[in-house]
């Protein structure tokens, strides 16, 4: 198609010419032309700002546009506002609050037609280059613009010439941001596409945008090349590939004897700019300290396991204002929280535990069960059992595979796991009791980066002899054991068929719990004026901007919350224009609740409750998975068990004193010895084969049942099940954990246990295929949501847990544990080992393991996912999730360690918003190293190693 007056094909740009003008009194300047359409821009900043335009949390960005002749009028102001909108997403404005960044852009041609888009494109491009040329205005990307026109009857053409503009019947300018480095992306940020008739043809628009994107890439490539030209007074021309080569050659000629770039013009008048900028920096020093205006770069909903990681990490940058809103209290000083041996007592505090009630569970004798979740600063890490384990390499890889992502695989996640912990290796006495580790998977001190090492992890200093007997009972096949091997490290991803002593979230220096508060907040609390934490603050919803983004995304503007005892809501504003975000970290039940109250979820469900629907995202709250916990216990003749602490008051007091005085004794630790059973440890090969065949046959049936009419999620659950069955095929699945408790654990209350001593083995269903849901039932934020884990809805779950329970029951009688076995307590001799009787017993006794996941699943949208692999909620511009709800399918681990890792991942993903693009860094380097004496003390500090 060769319809153009200048004979260009429809998809070819005219030559690009870029000149760095070195204009006086400004910090950067550039001229940009496409053929005969040219513009000249200058940029200054950060400089002093007029009081009226000053903003406390970010720099003010101003664009002034000047026509070729005459004074700027309404049209120029409209143009300036359009250019500003296009450029805004590229600037990191919160680095320099209370200052001004100003662009003045001058048209160098006059277009007497309504189609001024080529001129707008050149003005945007000139402005981008001028900003880049300052080297002092941090840019997260570079905006490149291209004009597209449509000629009646002939179609779309790129970069219309002045003559062509008079004949167009539709056209517009498209701007794209190009970012390279940690936050690599190309996204459309602005357009002015319109047609003469007013008729909008969507497919035409999409075609135009695609054409523009390809052309913008060429513009970006030209800009990239031109950057090395900064510091010279020469112009840079891109005419053809041959011209590119000749430009490169030409550049060589400008190197001086040391091989450095040639010197640019030095203007004395730039001293004026220097003075004003120095003043602005002083102002920044004094005024940008604490956010008192309730405008935050990040508002984090829920100060728990995941939320505090993100808050702490983001606030490492003093220029980033972070707010945490936590519904619970700050309870680090409560003995039941910090004394490891008092774990159960902490869980019993109703004020610290959301204790969500489930709906009657059909497969659990229609019982209303309870799912625990921590309600305090630190979330569930305040009341959890402190066990720190990780799942298998194969399970994390399966999560990556379902997301077509290499960044969610064991190898890629390991650095984030390691970054979260400061690990104390076991001493000889701990090693003698079975504690061991693999330093290649552990964090600080083996990982030496200064940023690494947050949650303190170590081994207990008190061990019960019967725990080691349990380990031996699982190992010794000759005497009835399972043939397990000793685990090197329960965090090394290789745990199938292993038994070992778990590391704990424990501050071994004083043998106290190390929660998310201890790890991620306490060390910095007085050094981070930019981190604000409000406790007793229950978030009700997120509020959205009136306008969506160009690609139809909702933008979070502010968060509504209620302080305890107050009826009127309060608000925290999000600095959305500068990349600010809301991070949801209210847990697997709390997070979908806030989403739904904010109008994001299954639209028919929301309507039925009376919520104003903002975005139909049907999988919110679905795909709920949880581990099921069961207990088998025996009376024991072991002399010391945890039961003695409950039955003997003077012994208890003694032990408390011991802990207080020397941090030793029974209260100093919560030691756990854990065995991880594969299917082959529980069932015969034929039985497993049969189960898997049946499950494959019924894939659609169960996927459809669990997906609750949600077609995409049905595919997602089917994919999850397939993945789980594949792991079973390779004997890489871990369906059951066997976890030894040196004392009683189970449903029978203390008064009915007659002050006796017990051994308990907890059998936990670790890879359930059942999926349930949680949803709001009211618009009232104080009403707990419906919780339906749909326990035991899949036959594999029933068979595996029953088999695991049977093995646990047997282990209590296996040597050497049999030496302390007196008599089975639960389930008791009245319950035989038949499937029927065991299952009947478990249906009335099993409980939640409080490892709920999956309600904001990280999966592709086509599979019913809610967040992408950057943990961003689909359809929401600036909302991420940082808690256990994103884990798409159950993993065979206690979850805290994985959630810390998730928090670290969210931090990196969110931070990318604030990472400046490599091109800016390159430009800044060139400007700094050139002999051109540029104004201002530009120092841009960036720790790029993560
Ligand atoms: C009793 C118990 C024992 C456990 N034992 C272990 C263990 O030994 N080892 C292990 O690895 N894992 C264990 N877990 C699991 C693990 O601790 C959790 O899965 C994990 O900590 C969850 O992290 P999260 O960030 O998803 O949620 P949480 O840590 O629970 O954080 C959510 C936070 O959001 C707050 N919140 C909720 N709604 C709102 C709202 N509307 N507004 C403001 N704030 C809100 C909550 O109060 C809470 O602080 C246990 C869990 C429980 C409950």
């Amino acid at each position: 198609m060769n319809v153009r007056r200048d004979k260009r094909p429809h998809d070819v740009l005219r030559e690009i010419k870029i000149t760095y003008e070195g204009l006086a009194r400004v910090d950067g300047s550039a001229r940009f032309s496409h053929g005969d359409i040219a513009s000249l821009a200058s940029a200054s900043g950060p400089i002093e700002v007029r009081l009226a335009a000053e903003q406390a949390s970010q720099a003010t960005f101003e664009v002034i546009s000047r026509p070729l002749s005459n004074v700027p009028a309404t049209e120029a102001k409209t143009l300036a506002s359009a250019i500003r909108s296009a450029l805004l997403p590229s600037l990191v404005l919160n680095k320099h609050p209370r200052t001004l960044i100003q662009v003045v852009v001058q048209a160098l041609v006059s277009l007497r037609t309504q189609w001024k888009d080529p001129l707008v494109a050149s003005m945007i491009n000139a402005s981008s280059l001028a900003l880049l040329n300052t080297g002092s205005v941090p840019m997260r990307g570079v905006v490149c613009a291209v004009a597209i026109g449509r000629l009646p009857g002939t179609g779309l053409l790129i970069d219309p010439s002045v003559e062509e503009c008079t004949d167009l019947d539709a056209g517009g300018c498209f701007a794209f941001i190009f970012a390279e480095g940690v936050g690599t992306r190309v996204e459309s940020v602005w357009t002015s596409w319109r047609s003469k008739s007013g008729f909008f043809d969507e497919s035409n628009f999409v075609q135009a945008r695609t054409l523009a994107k390809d052309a913008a890439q060429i513009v970006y490539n030209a800009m990239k090349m031109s950057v090395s030209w900064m510091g010279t007074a020469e112009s840079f021309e891109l005419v053809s590939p041959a011209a590119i080569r000749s430009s490169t050659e030409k550049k060589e000629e400008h190197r001086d004897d040391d091989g450095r770039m040639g010197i640019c013009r030095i203007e004395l008048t730039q001293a004026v700019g220097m003075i004003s900028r120095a003043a602005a920096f002083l102002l920044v020093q004094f005024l940008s300290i604490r956010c008192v205006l309730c405008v935050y770069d990040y508002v984090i909903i829920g100060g728990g396991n995941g939320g505090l990681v993100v808050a702490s990490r983001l606030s490492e940058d003093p220029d980033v204002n972070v707010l945490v809103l936590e519904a619970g209290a700050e309870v680090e000083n409560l003995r039941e929280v910090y004394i490891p041996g008092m774990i159960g007592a902490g869980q019993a505090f109703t004020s610290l535990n959301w204790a969500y009630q489930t709906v009657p569970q059909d497969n659990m004798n229609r019982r209303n069960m309870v799912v625990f979740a921590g309600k305090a600063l630190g979330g569930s890490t305040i009341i959890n059992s402190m066990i720190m384990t990780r799942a298998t390499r194969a399970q994390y890889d399966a999560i990556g595979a379902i997301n077509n992502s290499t960044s969610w695989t064991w190898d890629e996640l390991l650095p984030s796991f390691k970054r979260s912990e400061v690990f104390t290796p076991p001493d000889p006495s701990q090693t003698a009791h079975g504690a061991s580790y693999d330093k290649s998977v552990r964090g600080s001190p083996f990982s030496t980066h200064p940023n690494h090492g947050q949650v303190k992890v170590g081994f207990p200093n008190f061990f019960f002899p019967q725990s080691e007997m349990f380990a031996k009972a699982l190992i010794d096949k000759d005497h009835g054991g399972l043939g397990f091997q000793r685990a090197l490290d329960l965090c090394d991803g290789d745990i199938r068929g292993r038994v070992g002593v778990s590391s704990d979230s424990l501050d071994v220096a004083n043998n106290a719990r190390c929660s998310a508060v201890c790890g991620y907040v306490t060390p910095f609390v007085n050094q981070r004026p930019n981190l604000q934490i409000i406790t007793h603050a229950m978030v009700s919803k997120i509020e959205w901007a009136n306008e969506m983004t160009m690609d139809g995304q909702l933008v979070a503007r502010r968060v509504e919350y209620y302080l305890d005892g107050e009826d009127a809501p309060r608000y925290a504003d999000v600095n959305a224009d500068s990349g600010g975000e809301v991070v949801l970290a209210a847990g697997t039940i709390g997070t979908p609740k806030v989403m739904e109250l904010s109008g994001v979820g299954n639209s028919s469900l929301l309507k039925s409750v009376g919520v104003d629907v903002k975005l139909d995202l049907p999988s919110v709250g679905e795909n709920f998975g949880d581990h099921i916990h069961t207990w088998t216990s025996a009376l024991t003749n072991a002399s010391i068990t945890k039961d003695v602490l409950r039955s003997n008051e003077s012994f208890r007091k003694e032990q408390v004193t011991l802990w207080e005085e020397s941090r030793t004794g029974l209260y100093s630790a919560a030691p756990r010895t854990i065995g991880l059973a594969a299917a082959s440890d529980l069932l015969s090969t034929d039985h497993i084969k049969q189960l898997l065949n049946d499950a494959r046959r019924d894939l659609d049936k169960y996927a459809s049942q669990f997906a609750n009419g949600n077609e995409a999620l049905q595919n997602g659950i089917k994919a999850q099940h397939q993945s789980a069955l594949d792991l079973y095929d390779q004997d890489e699945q871990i369906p059951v954990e066997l976890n030894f408790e040196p004392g009683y654990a189970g449903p029978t209350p203390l008064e009915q246990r007659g002050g006796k001593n017990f051994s308990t083995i907890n059998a936990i269903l670790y890879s359930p295929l059942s999926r349930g849901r949680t949803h709001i039932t009211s618009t009232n934020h104080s009403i707990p949501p419906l919780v339906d884990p749909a326990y035991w809805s899949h036959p594999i779950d029933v068979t595996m847990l029953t088999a695991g329970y049977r093995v646990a029951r047997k282990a209590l009688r296996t040597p050497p544990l049999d030496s302390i076995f007196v008599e089975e307590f639960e389930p008791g001799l009245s319950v035989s080992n038949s499937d029927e009787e065991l299952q009947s017993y478990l249906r009335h006794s099993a409980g939640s393991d409080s490892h709920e996941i999956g309600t904001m699943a990280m999966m592709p949208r086509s599979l019913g996912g809610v967040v992408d692999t950057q943990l961003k909620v689909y359809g929401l511009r600036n909302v991420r999730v940082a808690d256990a709800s994103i884990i798409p399918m159950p993993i065979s681990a206690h979850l805290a360690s994985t959630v810390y890792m998730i928090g670290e991942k969210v931090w990196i993903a969110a931070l990318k918003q604030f990472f400046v693009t490599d091109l800016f860094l390159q430009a800044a380097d060139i400007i700094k190293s050139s002999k051109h004496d540029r104004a201002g003390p530009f120092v841009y500090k960036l720790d790029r190693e993560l």
Side-chain angles (χ1 to χ4, degrees):
M1 185 169 62
N2 200 351
V3 294
R4 309 184 72 164
R5 295 188 195 180
D6 59 9
K7 308 282 188 264
R8 266 184 301 148
H10 76 288
D11 57 353
V12 168
L13 284 163
R14 284 169 296 172
E15 73 276 11
I16 292 168
K17 189 169 174 185
I18 294 169
T19 317
Y20 293 106
E21 295 275 335
L23 290 184
R25 295 174 192 252
V26 292
D27 296 323
S29 57
R31 184 191 293 251
F32 182 96
S33 63
H34 286 289
D36 52 359
I37 298 184
S39 307
L40 172 65
S42 66
S44 305
I47 53 175
E48 265 178 292
V49 61
R50 305 182 302 283
L51 206 56
E54 182 180 293
Q55 297 181 73
S57 57
Q58 61 176 30
T60 302
F61 177 46
E62 194 173 82
V63 175
I64 297 167
S65 131
R66 298 198 196 289
L68 180 62
S69 52
N70 297 328
V71 288
T74 313
E75 193 185 18
K77 286 188 180 154
T78 313
L79 195 54
S81 148
I83 295 168
R84 185 179 181 279
S85 305
L87 294 173
L88 196 58
S90 68
L91 302 178
V92 184
L93 294 177
N94 65 347
K95 292 276 172 198
H96 302 295
R98 298 183 193 275
T99 63
L100 176 68
I101 290 160
Q102 190 182 58
V103 167
V104 180
V105 54
Q106 162 96 51
L108 296 178
V109 292
S110 174
L111 293 190
R112 296 184 193 289
T113 155
Q114 64 162 298
W115 304 106
K116 297 191 182 352
D117 305 291
L119 178 60
V120 177
S122 85
M123 290 173 103
I124 291 174
N125 293 336
S127 304
S128 271
L129 289 167
L131 283 163
L132 207 52
N133 189 233
T134 63
S136 55
V137 177
M139 297 172 78
R140 64 170 65 93
V142 174
V143 172
C144 301
V146 169
I148 304 285
R150 191 180 68 194
L151 278 177
T154 50
L156 298 171
L157 40 97
I158 284 184
D159 183 24
S161 61
V162 176
E163 300 80 42
E164 283 169 332
C165 280
T166 53
D167 302 333
L168 301 178
D169 74 342
C173 176
F174 289 85
F176 300 85
I177 187 166
F178 290 80
E180 286 184 275
V182 181
T184 300
R185 64 196 169 121
V186 182
E187 272 172 26
S188 62
V189 286
W190 180 82
T191 185
S192 57
W193 183 258
R194 66 225 178 272
S195 80
K196 222 172 190 173
S197 64
F199 175 70
F200 188 86
D201 175 346
E202 195 181 334
S203 72
N204 217 233
F205 166 73
V206 172
Q207 267 179 343
R209 192 174 57 180
T210 310
L211 261 184
K213 193 171 177 183
D214 292 344
Q217 179 72 56
I218 295 171
V219 175
Y220 176 64
N221 292 345
M223 287 187 177
K224 242 173 112 168
M225 280 187 234
S226 78
V227 160
S228 57
W229 217 246
M230 286 179 183
T232 75
E234 296 295 321
S235 65
F236 171 87
E237 285 179 56
L238 177 65
V239 183
S240 65
I244 301 171
R245 276 198 300 279
S246 68
S247 293
T248 318
E249 285 154 15
K250 205 167 156 195
K251 189 177 81 182
E252 292 304 316
E253 291 162 17
H254 276 263
R255 291 180 184 278
D256 62 17
D257 292 344
D258 302 334
R260 289 189 307 254
M261 294 293 292
I263 304 167
C264 201
R265 277 175 297 173
I266 303 173
E267 301 287 346
L268 281 176
T269 38
Q270 280 188 333
V272 178
M274 264 169 81
I275 293 163
S276 62
R277 249 185 346 154
F281 271 96
L282 276 177
L283 270 176
V284 174
Q285 289 289 316
F286 285 106
L287 298 174
S288 75
I289 303 304
R290 190 175 182 110
C291 177
V292 287
L293 296 182
C294 304
V295 180
Y296 300 91
D297 298 311
Y298 290 92
V299 176
I300 294 171
I301 300 175
N305 195 161
L308 289 185
V309 180
V310 184
S312 174
R313 287 303 196 180
L314 287 170
S315 62
E316 283 172 6
D317 182 340
D319 292 334
V320 173
N321 282 313
V322 179
L323 172 70
V324 178
L325 295 168
E326 166 54 46
E330 207 271 278
V331 292
E332 283 283 287
N333 290 331
L334 208 62
R335 282 150 57 97
E336 287 78 358
V337 166
Y338 65 79
I339 300 185
M342 292 194 179
I343 278 170
Q347 292 170 3
F349 277 104
T350 48
S351 57
L352 302 189
N353 193 341
W354 292 91
Y356 294 107
Q357 263 223 350
T358 72
V359 298
Q361 292 298 286
D362 286 344
N363 304 309
M364 293 283 156
N365 288 351
R366 300 226 11 103
R367 280 183 295 140
N368 294 103
M369 297 165 70
V370 184
V371 179
F372 285 178
K375 182 182 182 184
L377 193 64
S380 297
T381 69
I382 290 292
I383 59 166
N384 74 9
S385 303
M386 297 169 44
I387 297 168
M388 290 292 267
T389 59
R390 300 175 195 157
T392 64
R393 168 187 283 271
Q395 286 180 335
Y396 292 113
D397 287 351
I399 291 177
I402 220 164
N403 282 285
N404 306 313
S405 162
T406 49
S407 65
W408 282 86
T409 53
W410 169 262
D411 288 337
E412 292 298 315
L413 299 177
L414 192 54
S416 294
F417 273 118
K418 289 161 82 168
R419 193 181 307 119
S420 70
E421 72 173 18
V422 52
F423 176 74
T424 303
D427 62 21
S429 93
Q430 291 167 319
T431 306
H433 282 99
S436 66
Y437 71 104
D438 172 358
K439 76 180 193 184
S440 72
V441 300
R442 290 301 188 166
S444 175
F446 305 115
S447 157
T448 50
H449 190 280
N451 270 354
H452 292 193
Q454 300 299 331
V455 171
K456 295 172 177 136
V457 178
F459 291 96
N461 72 349
F462 183 92
F463 291 87
F464 293 86
Q466 50 271 47
S467 299
E468 175 55 16
M469 292 179 180
F470 164 72
K472 286 186 173 144
L474 292 191
I475 289 168
D476 190 354
K477 209 167 185 173
D478 293 342
H479 294 94
L482 292 170
F484 275 31
Q485 290 174 20
R486 294 260 179 204
L488 174 58
D489 191 323
L490 291 175
C491 286
D492 68 2
D494 181 17
I495 54 172
R496 185 189 60 86
R498 300 282 197 274
V499 59
V501 174
S502 160
S503 55
D504 292 333
S505 43
L506 184 74
D507 177 358
V508 295
N510 57 12
N511 280 316
R513 175 192 292 270
C514 187
S515 66
V517 186
C518 143
Y520 280 92
V521 176
T522 312
F524 319 108
V525 81
N526 293 322
Q527 304 158 21
R528 303 255 175 105
N530 57 324
L531 170 62
Q532 197 176 344
I533 296 175
I534 306 180
T535 53
H536 302 282
M538 174 85 162
V539 171
S540 38
K541 62 181 175 188
I542 300 169
E543 293 190 344
W544 312 99
N546 291 334
E547 289 185 4
M548 288 185 162
T549 60
M550 240 179 73
D551 44 358
Q553 300 202 357
L554 285 174
V555 180
R557 280 273 165 213
R558 65 178 188 172
V559 173
E560 181 188 89
Y561 65 98
Y562 290 80
L563 287 184
D564 279 359
E566 289 188 358
D567 292 332
R570 294 175 181 242
Y571 297 93
D573 285 355
V574 186
N575 208 348
D577 292 336
S578 294
E581 296 190 357
V582 171
V583 177
L584 274 160
T588 293
I589 298 172
T591 285
K593 179 183 163 204
V594 173
M595 272 282 84
E596 292 186 337
L597 288 171
S598 312
V600 176
N602 179 328
S603 55
S604 37
L605 184 142
L606 297 186
K607 277 182 208 149
S608 72
V609 175
V611 171
D612 185 13
V613 179
K614 301 291 181 191
L615 176 72
D616 184 30
L617 198 55
S619 302
V620 170
E622 294 288 322
N623 191 50
F624 188 113
D626 190 13
H627 294 158
I628 302 179
H629 198 119
T630 67
W631 308 264
T632 174
S633 54
L635 293 170
T636 175
N637 56 22
S639 53
I640 300 183
T641 68
K642 285 188 180 175
D643 302 299
V644 188
L645 294 172
R646 299 162 191 139
S647 58
N648 183 334
E649 183 57 16
S650 60
F651 180 74
R652 191 189 70 79
K653 282 190 176 151
E654 224 174 77
Q655 290 296 316
V656 172
T657 311
L658 198 59
W659 186 86
E660 280 168 350
E661 288 175 356
S662 64
R663 295 294 196 264
T664 57
L666 265 68
Y667 278 117
S668 67
R672 291 297 168 106
T673 299
I674 289 174
L676 289 312
S680 58
D681 297 316
L682 308 175
L683 296 167
S684 71
T685 312
D686 285 348
H687 196 163
I688 297 169
K689 219 173 182 178
Q690 182 62 49
L691 270 179
L692 299 187
N693 284 343
D694 291 352
R696 287 214 158 84
R697 182 198 62 212
D698 293 337
L699 267 177
D700 285 319
K701 174 179 151 190
Y702 286 104
S704 144
Q705 178 184 324
F706 299 155
N708 207 14
N710 176 335
E711 244 176 68
L713 183 61
Q714 182 173 336
N715 292 331
I717 293 179
K718 191 171 163 186
Q720 293 179 20
H721 283 186
Q722 259 160 347
S723 155
L725 298 178
D726 290 348
L727 289 181
Y728 273 120
D729 276 339
Q730 300 147 24
D731 205 19
E732 285 292 344
Q733 190 66 302
I734 299 180
V736 172
E737 175 184 287
L738 302 168
N739 181 325
F740 186 78
E741 176 85 13
Y744 178 79
T748 303
L750 181 62
E751 14 349 316
Q752 292 170 28
R753 301 202 300 260
K756 301 204 170 98
N757 283 342
F758 297 86
S759 296
T760 304
I761 297 178
N762 305 285
I764 302 167
L765 177 65
Y766 240 19
S767 315
L769 296 183
S770 306
R771 301 290 185 273
R773 60 200 45 84
T774 174
H775 292 298
I776 54 168
T777 55
S778 157
T779 52
N780 182 343
H781 66 272
S782 58
I783 294 184
L786 165 154
V787 176
D788 180 8
Y791 292 124
W792 257 14
S793 302
H794 194 286
I796 283 198
D797 295 358
V798 180
T799 308
M800 289 297 172
L801 186 56
T802 311
Y805 191 82
R806 199 179 278 123
V807 167
R809 201 178 180 190
K810 182 177 160 212
L812 284 170
R813 296 176 173 83
T814 301
L817 256 190
D818 64 340
S819 64
I820 57 165
F821 178 89
V822 173
E823 173 188 327
E824 185 174 274
F825 182 65
E826 278 166 348
L829 295 178
S830 62
V831 179
S832 79
N833 249 343
S834 73
D835 282 353
E836 200 186 7
E837 289 197 22
L838 282 183
Q839 285 164 18
S840 157
Y841 173 76
L842 295 178
R843 283 181 207 284
H844 90 250
S845 64
S848 162
D849 200 37
S850 302
H851 286 172
E852 58 278 14
I853 53 113
T855 53
M856 300 285 289
M858 179 183 68
M859 282 198 294
R861 209 166 176 176
S862 57
L863 296 184
V866 178
V867 300
D868 63 19
T869 50
Q870 300 294 305
L871 285 323
K872 221 172 193 180
V873 180
Y874 292 118
L876 306 183
R877 170 70 198 258
N878 56 345
V879 179
R880 281 178 221 272
V881 181
D883 59 31
S885 68
I886 68 102
I887 303 172
M889 45 201 184
I891 52 169
S892 300
H894 297 258
L895 297 182
S897 172
T898 297
V899 178
Y900 282 124
M901 174 276 287
I902 290 168
E904 295 276 353
K905 290 281 281 183
V906 170
W907 164 61
I908 294 172
L911 202 65
K912 281 183 182 174
Q913 298 285 323
F914 287 93
F915 266 109
V916 293
T917 183
D918 279 356
L919 198 54
F920 164 76
L921 293 173
Q922 200 187 328
D925 278 351
I926 288 171
I927 290 159
K928 267 190 290 177
S929 63
S930 89
K931 291 176 190 164
H932 183 148
D933 186 13
R934 301 198 63 83
F938 170 65
V939 183
Y940 188 76
K941 278 184 277 158
L942 186 70
D943 179 3
R944 310 202 60 204
E945 198 194 334
L946 295 173

